[in-house]
Amino acid sequence: MRDRLEKRGADKDDYERALGSIADGGEVRVHIGRQDLMHANTRWYSYRLSVADTVVLDRSGREGIPNIRGRDGNWWNVVNIPVEQPIVDSLDVEVFDVKSQTEYRYRVVREERVVEVSGNEGS
């Protein structure tokens, strides 16, 4: 989000408003690409987020017919899932494709980077 705001030349208020709208744990963005337009409809997918075998979100898909077809011929769709609690170690993400009866599993692992900036940038 910061990159998009920088490219737009956003001011401090824009940053605060945009960053304030993000859930404490951020969000998981699921990209769906399918050859069949209606199979890329988000209503055919359900989403489950878990932390240490405890389900923190279980959501069925809602109607969302894609309007973007990629160069690869796939119809593309995106679902943003808010993560209400900060990720301590890892977050398990399950995406279930109801139409093809296929489950996709992912693990998001928290990683911190400490960047030290010297005071000589303008020199």
Side-chain angles (χ1 to χ4, degrees), residues 49-68:
L49 306 181
S50 304
V51 175
D53 295 326
T54 301
V55 175
V56 294
L57 182 134
D58 199 352
R59 176 189 292 175
S60 295
R62 298 183 182 109
E63 188 74 30
I65 299 171
N67 58 7
I68 299 171

Side-chain angles (χ1 to χ4, degrees), residues 36-45 63 65-66 75 99:
D36 175 38
L37 170 68
M38 294 313 292
H39 194 174
N41 184 340
T42 54
R43 82 181 297 195
W44 297 113
Y45 299 85
E63 188 74 30
I65 299 171
W75 290 95
K99 200 165 188 172

Side-chain angles (χ1 to χ4, degrees), residues 1-120:
M1 183 177 284
R2 283 187 176 108
D3 290 343
R4 282 184 284 165
L5 291 168
E6 275 183 28
K7 287 177 184 175
R8 271 191 7 211
D11 63 20
K12 183 180 176 184
D13 290 338
D14 290 333
Y15 272 95
E16 288 177 9
R17 189 171 29 259
L19 296 177
S21 69
I22 299 173
D24 288 343
E27 67 182 19
V28 172
R29 180 170 290 169
V30 178
H31 290 258
I32 299 168
R34 294 289 185 252
Q35 287 290 308
D36 175 38
L37 170 68
M38 294 313 292
H39 194 174
N41 184 340
T42 54
R43 82 181 297 195
W44 297 113
Y45 299 85
S46 62
Y47 318 93
R48 177 177 291 147
L49 306 181
S50 304
V51 175
D53 295 326
T54 301
V55 175
V56 294
L57 182 134
D58 199 352
R59 176 189 292 175
S60 295
R62 298 183 182 109
E63 188 74 30
I65 299 171
N67 58 7
I68 299 171
R69 190 168 198 166
R71 292 182 194 169
D72 58 1
N74 281 336
W75 290 95
W76 289 96
N77 216 332
V78 177
V79 175
N80 295 317
I81 304 168
V83 180
E84 299 301 330
Q85 301 291 327
I87 299 170
V88 175
D89 291 317
S90 64
L91 175 73
D92 292 317
V93 178
E94 297 173 44
V95 178
F96 186 69
D97 178 341
V98 176
K99 200 165 188 172
S100 69
Q101 295 293 299
T102 306
E103 184 175 66
Y104 303 93
R105 293 177 179 211
Y106 306 93
R107 175 165 284 165
V108 177
V109 178
R110 179 185 172 109
E111 178 181 310
E112 288 188 41
R113 287 190 200 154
V114 177
V115 179
E116 294 184 27
V117 180
S118 69
N120 299 335

